[in-house]
Structure formats: C-alpha cells, structure tokens
C-alpha cells in the first residue's frame, strides 16, 4: 500500500514535470503510466531478467573492442546478430585507456562510446565488465603497469586504500563517459560486473562493496550488477557480494545442471540462471599446442543451458588479435610463465579474421530454434589476399639506432632497474655494464629473477639467451676484464591471473661466478605499441650487411610492397626467429615461428593503403635468414596457420570444461 501510494505521488509529479523526472519503479504498470513516455527498464526477475517488465533471457557473446580495428566492429556485431545473439559482452581495458597516470585515451582504436553505440545500432544489448581487473589474457589483467611503481607495498585487488585511490579515480573518469548509454538512459548497457572471477584469488568484502557502491553511484541504480565466479562453492563465496546477481562460468562439456542447480542456485535462489563465460574454444600460449574444442560439444552444452532458460555469454564469440604488446602471460610454478599468443582466435565461432566457421553455422542452427522469428541473413566472410613475398633489406642493428630508439637513455644506477622504475611499460630494455674483473674459463653468468628473456652480448657479440619461460637462468661465458656485457631484456607480457604484481626487467642481481655486477646503464627501447592513433614507420634506411654477425644481432629490416585492393591477409615468417612486425608503422605484435604454434599473424585489410606503397618492418631480435646480400623475405598468404608443432610442451586442454 505504501509503495502504491508513493507511485501515485510520483505520477502526479510526473504529470506536472514530465520532462525532467525519471520514473524509477518499472514494476508498477498502471493505466496512467501507459500515457507517459515509454519507460526503459532492465531488472532481475524470477528465473529470468525483466526487460521493460517482460521476461527476458540474453544470449550473448564476448567481443573485446581492442581486439579488432573499429572499421570492422559493425560487421562483427551484424554477424553476432545473425547468429541469433541479442547481447554483446565486453570488458573495459583500463591499461589501454590510462597508459600513464592521468593520461587518458578514449579515441580511435579504443573509442568505447563508438563501440557501444555501434552495438546498439546493430540491435545488441551490452553486458559491461569494467573490472578494474579483467584478466582477458591481457598485460597485467588490464591493470595499468604503473600501479607497480606507485607504492611497492600496494596490495592489488584488495581494499588497500593505496590501490582503491587509483581505482576510484579511474571509475570516476570512465563510467560518467558512458552513463548516458545505460539501458534506462536509452543506451544498450543492461548490466555491469563487479571485479572478475574474484573468488579464485580473494574474498575481501570491503573491496567488493566498494566496487559495488561506486558502480551503482556512477552508472545509476537502474543497472543490474553481478559477479562471476568459477562453479565451485568456495570461489562463489569469495567473489559474490550482497545486492548483486551471482553468476557462474563454465565451458563446453561441463555439467550444466550441476553448475547451475547445485552451485549457482545456492547463492541465487530465484533470479535468472547465468553463465557469464561459456567457453566454445580456448586461449593459446607460445610453446604449447594449439587448442580446439569441437562444435558438437559446444552446441550440446548450449542446448542444455537454453533448456534451463538460462542466460549465457559465449566467451569468446569473436576473439580477435592481441596487437602490439597487448598480450599477457600465465604463470607456471616457481616464477615460470607462458606468454599468450598474438592471435586470440580462441577457436571461436567467428575466426580472428572475421570468418564464419562451421561452429558458427551449427550454433546459428541451434539459436534459430529458440528465436521468435527467422534470423537475418549472415554477412559474408571478408575476402583474403595472398600478396606474396615481400623482400626485406637490412636497415641497421639496435645498437646503430640506440640514440633514436632510447632518446631518454641511458639511465645509470648501481644495480639494474626494473622496467617499472624506468617508466618502460612494454617491449625491451638494454642493460649494459663493464666486466670489472678477470674470470675463470669458463665462468657462470647468472641472472637472479629475470623477467622475462634476455639476449646476452659480450662486446656486441651475441653469446646466448636466458629465459624465464624456458627456465634458463644461467649460462657459461668466456669473458675478460674490461669487456662490455649487455643484456637485451624482453617483457613477454605481464602475468594476468593469480598474483599479478609481475614487474619486468632484471629484478635481482647479475653475477659472474657469484660476484654481483654493479654500475649499470639502462636504455629503454621506444617501440610503437597499441593503441596507436598516428602510426609512423621507422625512418631507417637500407644499409649494407658488412658481415654475417650483423644478421645475428637484434636488427631492423624493411620492405615495401604495392597493394591494389586492400584486403585481409596473413604474414608468414619462414626462417625468421623472434621479433616484432610493423605494417605501415602499426605494431602487429610478436612473431615467433621457431617457438610456435602460431606461424602467421593476421593483417587486417584496413591496415593497408589501397592503390599505394605499403611499408613492412621487422625488428628481429635473434637472427635473420638473410644471406650475404641482405636478401630475405616474408610472405603474405591467404590463410591463417595457427596450429604449428611446438618443440617443448604438449597442448593443455581447457581446465574449466568440467
Ligand atoms: C603504500 O601503501 C601502504 C599500504 O596501503 C601504506 O601503508 C603506505 O602508507 C603507502 N605508502 C605511500 C608512500 O603512499
Ligand atoms: C551432473 O550433475 C548432476 C547433479 O549434480 C548429477 O546427478 C549427474 O550425475 C552429473 N552428470 C554427470 C555426467 O556427471
Ligand atoms: C522455461 O520457460 C518456459 C516458458 O516460460 C516454461 O514453460 C518452462 O517451464 C521453463 N523451463 C524451466 C526448466 O524452467
Ligand atoms: C645485489 O648485490 C648487491 C651488491 O652485492 C647487494 O648489495 C644487493 O643486496 C643485491 N640485491 C639483491 C636483490 O639481493
Ligand atoms: C648478490 O645478489 C644476490 C641476489 O641477487 C644476493 O642473494 C647475494 O647476497 C648478493 N651477494 C653479495 C655478496 O652481496
Ligand atoms: C592444422 O590445421 C589444419 C587445418 O585445420 C589441419 O589440416 C592440420 O592437420 C593441422 N595441423 C596440425 C599439426 O595439427
């Protein structure tokens, strides 16, 4: 009675101030209300969501805006729509929007407003996962690297005030930018997640409540808040928070009734059943076998969820690419790690290059059965072109270009400094010192806590590789007093799950036969990353190769090629070892054919200049396949080759499937 009376009062107020007063309680549909402007509402109902007061179930797919050029977003949304999805789910990747403290970027490749508005135009609702931690197999799980230098005792993903200060500042920047895009305000965003699978690592109630209250304050009370955790009681208990919807996640082949009815229902007694991450494939790591999941299991598990009237999100429906230095790593025992590949294809229904797969068609057939009307026509896959060989010329070594590439360097210090202290987010730092004493023959060079990989040079001659991934922390060297020792250290991507305070560089001491080396110089290497709203090729000119040693040092190679019609294509790196590739100045990411399994990198057609000359540059870290005259090449092919054999680890299957 009280509520009805209040509603009555609201209506009177609305009648006189119809323009400005938002109506809150959509559940009360009365005759009077129908004469008012249509009220948009999205809420939790019994066993389902309520959209504008009507029972609603979402069928969603994940697609992260930073993993595809904006020119293709609409095409991907239309392909999702045509498969029978009504919703898209994305994270916000903090680290790309605030690369350094208070330096914000919401343009071009990370224009989130354009992304949400395009989704809405294509008829999709949006499930938002602001994080702040997102995992997503991106560097540091989406947290900006600079948090690691702000305060060394900061406890990430907890209620530590030092951490909350930056989270608060970020949320107050980003959420007001999209406040008008919530469903109640006329936009597509129906719900927002609190943290991300938090129960796997923590249970800090103050932290969860802080995020819940801040999200509600900034996005308004009309948005559905939810948590997502693995389908085991302990994880859900750690991650959930009162006043939000508890959801779970699990993949193809999992026990759907167990996960929903035995686990989720314990904490969500009569709301909609939701699987926020249903895995139709899996991610991949350098050095591990390529993982696929067959469509039969995917469709079977989807059907089981549909029969229970559950809402679910397919993670990923479109995986895309990890351009530049976007990819993170996963941990192994004893400070080991495995870096995530550049491709985030995920064996998803829509391939990395936007192509429709058999899995897509089978899923569409299933969703058609549950769709009120016929699904629209399927947009075609984009045509691909094999542009063929591009000959590359040597344009000088890293050492030749050190002044250009490390304008801020060198930084001198008694002991080696981390990337974070050097304000070097990604890529490479060259560390240099003089060997002050004569050594035994041979002697042992050791690096204590190397993150992650170093090519070692004595007087500019490469003498070996140390690697956290390969668990090689020391090597024999033959050195003399006065020789220059250099280590080109590569950040292979910050760890994105578990303990995520993964600083990069040389974190302990470098020693020879147990004697710690001091008096270091560090040269942070400035390479373009992602996003890059003004890509520019390097200005390095072709040079003569004077000796084969030059081809075995980190060096740059450049080629040009004419493109008549710009189409999607793939770059293949036969004979090359490891490095980064730049197309018209854009950092596509790491190539590493000798490691595998990924052998080709996807090149979106929109990165190419049509009817014009295009530039291709490689920064090869180890050794180039060029003979004496600098003649070497890479090839553009028309299909991806992602499942190459790997030398040192066999494939691991999706651990969350069952
Ligand atoms: C660093 O964080 C810790 C833990 O929150 C806090 O006690 C300390 O005061 C902070 N230090 C600085 C310099 O902000
Ligand atoms: C799935 O879980 C249900 C409920 O816990 C159980 O009865 C059933 O045996 C399980 N099915 C399989 C195949 O394990
Ligand atoms: C699913 O929803 C339909 C329509 O409301 C209902 O008839 C059916 O019983 C529901 N199924 C389950 C398993 O809740
Ligand atoms: C590195 O070596 C120096 C000099 O031997 C020593 O003072 C310092 O404590 C060492 N650093 C670490 C992290 O052990
Ligand atoms: C050298 O550095 C290591 C750690 O990097 C440290 O454990 C050791 O104590 C140092 N040795 C000396 C003599 O300072
Ligand atoms: C890689 O995939 C292709 C195409 O699906 C298949 O023909 C080939 O056998 C696979 N290779 C390996 C090594 O799995």
């Amino acid at each position: 009675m009280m509520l009805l009376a209040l509603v009555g009062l609201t209506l009177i107020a609305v009648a006189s101030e119809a323009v400005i007063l938002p109506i809150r309680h959509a559940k009360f549909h009365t005759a009077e209300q129908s004469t008012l402007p249509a009220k948009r509402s999205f809420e939790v109902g019994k066993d389902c969501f309520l959209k504008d007061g009507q029972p609603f179930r979402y069928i969603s797919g994940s697609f992260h805006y930073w993993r595809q050029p904006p020119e293709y977003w609409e095409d991907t949304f239309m392909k999702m729509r045509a498969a029978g999805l009504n919703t898209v789910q994305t994270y916000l990747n903090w680290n790309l929007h605030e690369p350094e403290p208070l330096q914000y970027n919401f343009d071009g490749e990370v224009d989130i407003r354009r992304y949400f508005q395009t989704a809405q135009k294509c008829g999709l609702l949006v499930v938002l996962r602001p994080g702040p931690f997102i995992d997503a197999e991106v560097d540091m799980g989406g947290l900006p690297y600079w948090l690691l230098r702000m305060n060394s005792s900061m406890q990430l993903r907890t209620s530590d005030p030092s951490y909350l200060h930056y989270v608060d500042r970020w949320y107050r920047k980003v959420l007001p930018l999209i406040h008008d895009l919530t469903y109640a305000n006329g936009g597509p965003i129906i719900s927002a997640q609190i943290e991300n699978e938090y129960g796997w690592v923590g249970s800090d109630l103050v932290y969860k409540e802080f995020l819940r209250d801040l999200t509600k304050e900034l996005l308004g009370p009309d948005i559905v808040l939810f948590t997502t955790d693995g389908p085991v009681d302990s994880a859900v208990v750690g991650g959930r928070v009162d006043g939000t919807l508890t959801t779970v996640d699990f993949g193809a082949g999992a026990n759907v009734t167990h996960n929903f009815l035995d686990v989720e229902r314990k904490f969500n007694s009569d709301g909609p059943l939701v699987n926020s991450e249903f895995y139709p494939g899996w991610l991949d790591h350098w050095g591990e076998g390529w993982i696929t999941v067959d469509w039969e299991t995917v469709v079977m598990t989807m059907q089981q969820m549909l029969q229970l009237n559950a809402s679910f999100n397919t993670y990923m429906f479109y995986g895309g690419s990890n351009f530049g230095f976007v990819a993170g790593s996963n941990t192994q025992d004893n400070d080991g790690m495995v870096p995530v590949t550049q491709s985030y294809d995920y064996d998803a229904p829509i391939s990395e290059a936007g192509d429709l797969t058999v899995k897509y068609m089978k899923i569409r057939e299933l969703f058609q059965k549950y769709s009120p009307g016929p699904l629209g026509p399927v947009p075609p896959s984009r045509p691909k072109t094999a542009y063929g060989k591009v000959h590359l010329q040597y344009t000088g070594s890293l050492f030749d270009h050190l002044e250009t590439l490390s304008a801020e360097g060198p930084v001198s210090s008694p002991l080696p400094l981390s990337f974070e202290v050097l304000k070097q987010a990604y890529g490479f730092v060259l560390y240099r010192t003089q060997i002050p004493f004569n050594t035994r023959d041979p002697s042992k060079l050791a690096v204590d806590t190397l993150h992650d990989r170093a090519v070692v040079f004595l007087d500019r001659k490469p003498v070996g590789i140390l690697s956290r991934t390969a668990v090689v922390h020391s090597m024999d060297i033959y050195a003399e007093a006065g020789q220059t020792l250099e280590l080109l250290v590569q950040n292979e991507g910050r760890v994105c799950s578990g303990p995520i305070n993964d600083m990069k560089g040389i974190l302990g001491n470098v020693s020879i036969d147990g004697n710690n080396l001091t008096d270091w110089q560090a040269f942070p290497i400035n390479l373009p990353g992602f996003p890059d709203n003004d890509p520019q090729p390097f200005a390095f000119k072709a040079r003569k190769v004077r000796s084969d040693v030059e081809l075995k040092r980190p060096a740059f190679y450049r080629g040009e090629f004419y493109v008549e019609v710009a189409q999607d294509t793939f770059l293949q790196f036969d004979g090359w070892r490891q490095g980064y590739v730049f197309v018209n100045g854009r950092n596509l990411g790491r190539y590493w054919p000798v490691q595998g399994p990924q052998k080709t990198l996807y090149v979106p057609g929109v990165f190419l200049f049509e009817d014009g000359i295009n530039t291709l540059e490689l920064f090869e870290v180890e050794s180039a396949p060029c003979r004496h005259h600098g003649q070497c090449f890479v090839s553009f092919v028309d299909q991806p080759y992602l499942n190459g054999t790997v030398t040192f680890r066999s494939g691991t299957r999706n651990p969350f499937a069952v």
Side-chain angles (χ1 to χ4, degrees):
M1 291 306 285
M2 241 347 245
L3 273 173
L4 284 175
L6 276 175
V7 170
L9 280 176
T10 307
L11 289 173
I12 292 161
V14 169
S16 55
E17 300 176 61
V19 187
I20 51 162
L21 195 78
I23 309 163
R24 291 281 181 243
H25 301 287
K27 273 178 204 154
F28 302 101
H29 284 280
T30 64
E32 291 94 320
Q33 264 177 323
S34 63
T35 62
L36 295 167
K39 161 73 173 119
R40 289 164 64 93
S41 69
F42 194 84
E43 304 163 287
V44 167
K46 182 161 164 31
D47 295 332
C48 64
F49 290 103
L50 294 172
K51 181 168 163 279
D52 304 330
Q54 300 303 310
F56 179 79
R57 168 241 296 280
Y58 72 66
I59 299 180
S60 169
S62 283
F63 158 28
H64 302 146
Y65 52 91
W66 66 87
R67 286 184 156 129
Q68 188 181 48
E71 291 89 336
Y72 294 156
W73 290 349
E74 181 166 340
D75 178 64
T76 301
F77 287 138
M78 293 311 290
K79 285 171 178 160
M80 294 172 81
R81 193 85 184 96
L85 305 188
N86 55 22
T87 303
V88 58
Q89 187 207 66
T90 186
Y91 288 119
L92 297 180
N93 191 342
W94 179 6
N95 144 24
L96 302 181
H97 297 288
E98 193 179 358
E100 289 293 334
L102 295 172
Q103 291 177 18
Y104 294 107
N105 183 3
F106 296 101
D107 296 329
E109 297 164 299
V110 292
D111 183 346
I112 49 176
R113 282 189 64 84
R114 173 175 169 188
Y115 177 88
F116 295 135
Q117 285 165 336
T118 308
Q120 185 171 24
K121 190 178 116 189
C122 297
L124 294 169
L125 298 166
V126 172
V127 171
L128 180 70
R129 305 211 286 173
F133 171 82
I134 62 174
D135 188 338
E137 285 76 41
V138 294
D139 190 86
M140 208 170 151
L143 297 184
Y145 90 99
W146 48 259
L147 288 173
L148 295 175
R149 72 163 183 263
M150 285 300 167
N151 178 340
S152 58
S153 50
M154 187 189 293
Q155 300 295 305
L156 302 169
R157 301 182 73 190
T158 71
S159 57
D160 180 345
S162 313
Y163 168 67
L164 292 190
H165 166 76
Y166 296 106
V167 174
D168 185 78
R169 191 172 80 185
W170 161 239
Y171 269 41
R172 287 184 192 282
K173 177 72 186 178
V174 67
L175 296 186
L177 285 181
I178 53 178
H179 176 255
D180 64 318
L181 297 178
T182 64
Y183 188 77
N185 290 334
I189 303 172
I190 53 175
S191 61
Q193 184 180 277
I194 303 305
E195 244 280 345
N196 187 61
E197 294 187 319
Y198 185 57
W200 286 135
V201 297
S203 59
D204 183 333
L205 184 60
V206 177
Y207 175 45
K208 293 184 289 185
E209 289 179 343
F210 171 86
L211 290 177
R212 176 195 66 192
D213 297 344
L214 189 60
T215 309
K216 195 180 235 178
E217 175 196 332
L218 296 169
L219 288 180
D222 308 303
I223 193 154
V224 169
L225 300 179
F226 68 100
T227 57
T228 303
D229 284 288
V232 290
D233 288 3
S234 58
V236 179
V237 168
R240 68 170 301 280
V241 57
D242 285 347
T244 70
L245 180 71
T246 299
T247 79
V248 291
D249 55 15
F250 53 85
N255 189 329
V256 174
T257 50
H258 173 74
N259 293 338
F260 277 148
L261 305 182
D262 298 344
V263 183
E264 187 181 13
R265 267 288 172 250
K266 240 184 248 170
F267 307 93
N268 164 1
S269 57
D270 64 354
L273 295 170
V274 183
N275 180 353
S276 294
E277 290 190 7
F278 167 73
Y279 313 110
W282 199 243
L283 60 116
D284 295 282
H285 295 111
W286 289 111
E288 293 186 346
W290 195 258
I291 299 170
T292 56
V293 175
D294 59 85
W295 67 259
E296 290 89 343
T297 316
V298 171
V299 167
M300 177 194 75
T301 311
M302 282 178 160
Q303 180 150 24
Q304 290 167 358
M305 294 191 288
L306 288 165
Q307 278 165 354
L308 286 174
N309 292 340
S311 289
F312 65 91
N313 170 70
T314 304
Y315 186 102
M316 305 293 297
F317 203 85
Y318 168 73
S321 310
N322 291 314
F323 295 117
F325 301 111
V326 161
S329 297
N330 280 298
T331 41
Q332 302 273 38
D333 296 340
N334 299 323
D335 198 43
M337 61 153 225
V338 278
V340 172
T341 52
Q342 292 318 109
S343 174
Y344 201 64
D345 178 276
Y346 220 92
D347 196 25
I350 303 175
S351 80
E352 178 179 15
D355 294 344
L356 305 169
T357 62
V358 173
K359 196 178 280 179
Y360 175 98
M361 294 304 177
K362 297 293 178 185
I363 288 172
R364 185 170 181 271
E365 276 172 31
L366 172 70
F367 291 175
Q368 177 66 82
K369 292 184 203 150
Y370 288 82
S371 167
L375 296 173
V378 178
S381 297
R382 279 188 296 277
K384 306 289 184 281
T385 300
Y387 293 103
K389 282 184 185 176
V390 176
H391 287 274
L392 301 179
Q393 287 182 299
Y394 177 75
T395 58
S397 74
L398 175 77
F399 301 112
D400 293 330
H401 298 300
L402 206 49
E403 272 180 34
T404 315
L405 292 169
S406 187
E408 319 85 71
V411 179
S412 299
S413 61
L415 300 175
L417 301 175
S418 69
F419 275 47
E420 287 72 18
V421 169
L422 293 164
K423 300 196 176 178
Q424 175 76 353
Y426 307 114
F428 299 83
V429 171
L430 181 73
Y431 293 88
R432 177 187 292 169
T433 191
Q434 239 64 241
I435 297 176
F437 42 75
N438 277 315
T439 64
R440 285 187 310 182
D441 193 13
S443 46
K444 189 176 147 201
L445 173 76
V447 181
D448 175 28
T449 321
L450 172 67
H451 287 186
D452 302 300
R453 183 181 175 86
V455 186
V456 181
F457 305 89
L458 276 175
D459 287 343
R460 300 267 157 103
K461 189 169 168 286
V463 294
I465 292 176
L466 301 176
S467 161
R468 178 185 182 189
T469 309
V471 201
V472 179
H473 305 298
S474 64
M475 60 190 277
D476 287 346
I477 58 165
Y478 308 85
E480 289 170 21
Q483 279 196 304
T484 300
L485 173 72
E486 288 172 301
L487 293 96
L488 179 63
V489 175
Q490 183 177 165
N491 164 358
E492 294 187 77
R494 288 186 186 76
V495 161
C496 58
S497 62
I500 47 166
N501 49 345
D502 182 28
M503 293 176 80
K504 294 302 187 184
I506 299 174
L507 304 183
N509 270 308
V510 180
S511 62
I512 295 181
D513 287 339
N515 301 303
N516 292 336
L517 300 175
T518 56
D519 299 319
W520 287 88
Q521 290 187 313
F523 298 79
I525 308 298
N526 182 17
L527 299 174
F530 176 94
D532 187 352
N533 293 339
D534 183 26
Q536 301 288 340
F538 298 104
F540 306 152
K541 301 265 180 318
R543 298 182 180 215
K544 238 194 156 88
V545 178
R546 286 166 308 221
S547 79
D548 279 358
V549 173
E550 296 197 296
L551 302 174
K552 297 201 159 68
R553 287 182 188 146
F556 293 85
Y557 300 83
R558 175 191 172 106
E560 290 181 346
F561 59 105
Y562 173 77
V563 165
E564 188 174 349
V565 180
Q567 291 185 328
D568 286 3
T569 181
F570 304 87
L571 260 180
Q572 190 158 327
F573 299 87
D574 293 341
W576 297 84
R577 290 191 66 86
Q578 196 221 31
Y580 282 79
V581 58
F582 304 84
V583 173
N584 293 323
R586 274 184 201 285
N587 185 342
L588 278 190
R590 183 190 294 138
Y591 63 87
W592 201 356
V594 292
Q595 180 82 314
Q598 184 177 357
K599 299 281 188 184
T600 57
L601 261 63
Y602 168 56
V603 184
V606 293
F607 286 3
L608 303 176
F609 299 132
E610 187 144 305
D611 189 20
I613 301 294
N614 291 263
T615 308
L616 186 69
E617 291 157 305
L618 265 59
F619 173 47
E620 166 60 52
V621 178
E622 295 173 13
S623 172
C626 312
R627 302 269 161 194
H628 308 294
H629 311 296
Q631 277 293 337
C632 42
F633 61 88
V634 289
S635 306
F636 281 108
V637 297
D638 58 9
Q639 325 183 31
Y641 179 12
L642 299 176
N643 61 346
T645 51
V646 288
T647 43
F648 79 97
R649 263 194 209 101
S650 60
T652 48
R653 280 197 63 82
N654 170 358
F656 299 120
V658 283

